[in-house]
Amino acid sequence: MRKLVHGGLVHRQDGTKAVFEKKDIIIRDNRIEKITDPVEVQPGEYDEVISAENAIVIPGMINAHIHTHCHFVKGAFDNLPLEVWMLYTKPYFSGRKETPEDVYIKTLFGCIELLKCGTTMIIDDVVHCPTFSEAHYDMVMKAYKTAGLRADVSVHLSNKPNYKTIPYLDAILDPEIRKQIEQSKIMPEAEILGYVEGLIKKYNTPDAVQRSVLSPSGPQRSTVKLMQGMRDLSEKYHIPTVSHVLETRVQRETGYLFYGRSLVQWMADNDLLYPNLNAIHTVWVDDRDIELLSKYHCKTVHNPASNLKLGSGIAPVAKLLKAGVEVGLGTDNTSCSDSLNLFESLKLSALLQKVQTPDYREWTGAQEALHMATYNGAACACLEKELGLLTEGRKADMTILDIDNERFLPHNNFVNQLVYCENGKSVRTVLIDGRTVVENGKITTFDEQEVINAFKEVSEKMKPQQSVAEKEALPLRKSYEDAYYRVMRTGNYL
């Protein structure tokens, strides 16, 4: 099938800067066949002609880090740091009670915001309940297939008891609660690796739009054996590994209190830094950490909204980029950001670096933010040769945005206005793998209202789960708060 995207101002990369040129894009099946000067359309020459008049065409944006398991508790929390917030996202002991069908509706519901805000790919780090339920995992993948959304989906894995992942918590925690936690069986590393490799073999076919990827939760939460096994699978199948690294002040101190050095330096010493690694957040990296991430060609993912809402801090994105680290952009969890709109992350990422130093020659801005959301996101997915730019031969993932509106008028600078003015309302058309999934602002792959109605029913059913989560968190909260504040005092943050 041949399609023509006609009459638009097309994003082109001119060295380090994005520019827009009047071009037409010819698509054959799922790839860009040719980018040409505007052509005169002949009847019957193309199977479909997509108008991009009065519009810009950008590479599909890639949300390089989200957790969609929290859609049922979107907007439920405020004024909690990560270490305390985690107690409430699901029942601590009993876990979420969801059917595979609940998971399907929840995941498909999230696709509405993602697609209508111009996102064409996500890396979704899912905390599954139960963790090793293939039926639940399959429903996540089915939802993304229904939506036509390009998605890398992990099984978020931590194989250490939580009280051993936060300094001082082991000593503070009530022994009876510790016994209760220890009743949970932790699967041996070999079995975990066998399970996730089975998912990779099942889903990662050539040209797969939905793939299975890897996620050892973080260096303090997963054993070296598990993380090294994940690294080996990542390199074997050329897929990304997602791991949360130095997100909070607590994690900064954790490295020194547990290992006598930064977590990044500890990872380097254990051969756990490698090109396919997405080090998520990296808020509290120091200059030596940045050198190591660059040396081993790791990627990082900036999640400015969640880092602000959880009080985690501001990642040194300008320093990372200057060191040659490819930094992607994400929205993170829908109960800690609480949005899947990547335009919010674009704007925040461009603004926050300006308050890091008064030397404005060191600031990053709109150009860097857009590159993070497109090309760098593709690099995070190990797909930098397939996605992230509009060039001939790449996959036909792109978003068309109207520019005849209050966000883009007057036409001064499309990159600046895309980052600082746009909020997703200008999205006209979205193509993923050559398929039109949004047309004139409407999703074409499923009935939005049907899904919204189904989600309302399921979310009402799930509301009692939050009461269970609050009840189960009650005997834990004081211990977690005490450990948190003790770490804050240790690091002289208070």
Side-chain angles (χ1 to χ4, degrees), residues 11 25 27-28 88 136-137 151 168 186 188 195 229 242 252 256 269 291 300 305 308 311 320 322 377 402 415 437 452:
H11 174 283
I25 303 173
I27 299 168
R28 184 181 291 275
Y88 294 93
H136 286 70
Y137 185 93
Y168 308 120
I186 296 177
Y195 175 75
V242 174
R252 178 68 185 166
Y256 291 98
D269 292 341
E291 287 176 15
T300 71
L308 291 173
L320 287 159
K322 189 175 182 179
D402 285 312
V415 174
V437 295
I452 289 170

Side-chain angles (χ1 to χ4, degrees), residues 93-166:
F93 297 105
S94 56
R96 287 188 306 276
K97 304 299 182 187
E98 299 171 324
T99 68
E101 290 72 25
D102 295 338
V103 170
Y104 175 75
I105 292 299
K106 173 179 69 174
T107 307
L108 198 54
F109 173 77
C111 293
I112 296 173
E113 185 174 14
L114 289 162
L115 291 175
K116 294 180 78 171
C117 290
T119 296
T120 58
M121 182 178 181
I122 59 172
I123 301 177
D124 189 3
D125 185 20
V126 184
V127 176
H128 299 269
C129 288
T131 302
F132 300 104
S133 169
E134 194 166 339
H136 286 70
Y137 185 93
D138 288 345
M139 283 301 190
V140 175
M141 299 299 261
K142 180 183 176 183
Y144 291 137
K145 185 175 182 179
T146 297
L149 182 63
R150 193 179 298 278
D152 281 358
V153 181
S154 72
V155 178
H156 182 99
L157 292 163
S158 174
N159 65 334
K160 289 183 181 180
N162 195 257
Y163 64 83
K164 290 186 178 293
T165 69
I166 298 174

Side-chain angles (χ1 to χ4, degrees), residues 225-249:
K225 187 175 180 180
L226 180 64
M227 290 188 289
Q228 289 178 341
M230 294 278 187
R231 173 205 63 202
D232 294 344
L233 289 175
S234 173
E235 292 173 346
K236 179 179 179 180
Y237 293 102
H238 191 56
I239 53 175
T241 301
V242 174
S243 199
H244 299 71
V245 179
L246 292 177
E247 179 177 357
T248 67
R249 297 172 183 83

Side-chain angles (χ1 to χ4, degrees), residues 63-65 247 280-283 301-317 327-333 336-339 341-353 369 372:
N63 191 333
H65 185 66
E247 179 177 357
I280 309 300
H281 300 296
T282 58
V283 173
V301 181
H302 183 38
N303 300 275
S306 72
N307 294 157
L308 291 173
K309 190 181 179 196
L310 296 174
S312 301
I314 301 172
V317 171
V327 182
L329 199 58
T331 58
D332 207 356
N333 195 307
C336 71
S337 70
D338 293 4
S339 164
N341 186 343
L342 199 59
F343 285 108
E344 293 180 1
S345 298
L346 276 164
K347 185 170 184 174
L348 285 171
S349 68
L351 292 175
L352 287 171
Q353 297 307 302
M372 287 161 63

Side-chain angles (χ1 to χ4, degrees), residues 224-486:
V224 171
K225 187 175 180 180
L226 180 64
M227 290 188 289
Q228 289 178 341
M230 294 278 187
R231 173 205 63 202
D232 294 344
L233 289 175
S234 173
E235 292 173 346
K236 179 179 179 180
Y237 293 102
H238 191 56
I239 53 175
T241 301
V242 174
S243 199
H244 299 71
V245 179
L246 292 177
E247 179 177 357
T248 67
R249 297 172 183 83
V250 168
Q251 291 174 23
R252 178 68 185 166
E253 297 306 313
T254 295
Y256 291 98
L257 292 168
F258 282 6
Y259 309 119
R261 53 206 184 277
S262 161
L263 286 173
V264 170
Q265 293 164 43
W266 178 84
M267 291 174 77
D269 292 341
N270 286 278
D271 197 20
L272 293 170
L273 299 180
Y274 50 98
N276 293 356
L277 176 70
N278 288 346
I280 309 300
H281 300 296
T282 58
V283 173
W284 289 94
V285 287
D286 59 24
D287 290 347
R288 177 58 180 153
D289 296 332
I290 292 172
E291 287 176 15
L292 289 168
L293 292 168
S294 177
K295 176 182 176 181
Y296 292 100
H297 306 289
C298 304
K299 315 301 185 293
T300 71
V301 181
H302 183 38
N303 300 275
S306 72
N307 294 157
L308 291 173
K309 190 181 179 196
L310 296 174
S312 301
I314 301 172
V317 171
K319 283 187 175 183
L320 287 159
L321 291 172
K322 189 175 182 179
V325 178
E326 290 174 309
V327 182
L329 199 58
T331 58
D332 207 356
N333 195 307
T334 47
S335 67
C336 71
S337 70
D338 293 4
S339 164
L340 295 174
N341 186 343
L342 199 59
F343 285 108
E344 293 180 1
S345 298
L346 276 164
K347 185 170 184 174
L348 285 171
S349 68
L351 292 175
L352 287 171
Q353 297 307 302
K354 303 181 197 305
V355 298
Q356 298 290 77
T357 173
D359 186 352
Y360 65 85
R361 294 169 298 182
E362 300 297 322
W363 292 355
T364 57
Q367 287 281 350
E368 291 84 1
L370 182 57
H371 198 65
M372 287 161 63
T374 51
Y375 182 82
N376 284 2
C380 290
C382 302
L383 292 171
E384 65 273 20
K385 293 181 180 179
E386 297 277 20
L387 303 172
L389 296 171
L390 296 177
T391 58
E392 293 170 3
R394 289 178 184 259
K395 295 287 181 69
D397 287 20
M398 63 193 74
T399 298
I400 302 172
L401 297 102
D402 285 312
I403 55 173
D404 192 18
N405 57 49
E406 68 277 14
R407 290 168 293 284
F408 282 98
L409 290 171
H411 296 163
N412 285 323
N413 184 306
F414 289 126
V415 174
N416 287 350
Q417 288 167 276
L418 187 68
V419 171
Y420 296 123
C421 307
E422 181 52 40
N423 56 14
K425 289 184 178 180
S426 302
V427 172
R428 180 196 296 177
T429 305
V430 179
L431 285 86
I432 300 174
D433 213 44
R435 179 187 183 191
T436 302
V437 295
V438 175
E439 186 173 23
N440 294 321
K442 302 291 184 184
I443 293 173
T444 64
T445 50
F446 61 88
D447 187 314
E448 290 177 51
Q449 195 57 53
E450 225 175 70
V451 171
I452 289 170
N453 292 342
F455 181 79
K456 285 162 70 174
E457 288 183 17
V458 176
S459 59
E460 280 299 314
K461 184 181 75 172
M462 297 301 296
K463 275 187 178 178
Q465 290 283 304
Q466 194 52 37
S467 298
V468 175
E470 290 168 7
K471 183 179 179 181
E472 293 187 7
L474 194 60
L476 295 159
R477 177 155 178 166
K478 186 177 187 305
S479 296
Y480 275 72
E481 285 183 338
D482 288 350
Y484 170 82
Y485 281 114
R486 188 169 175 183

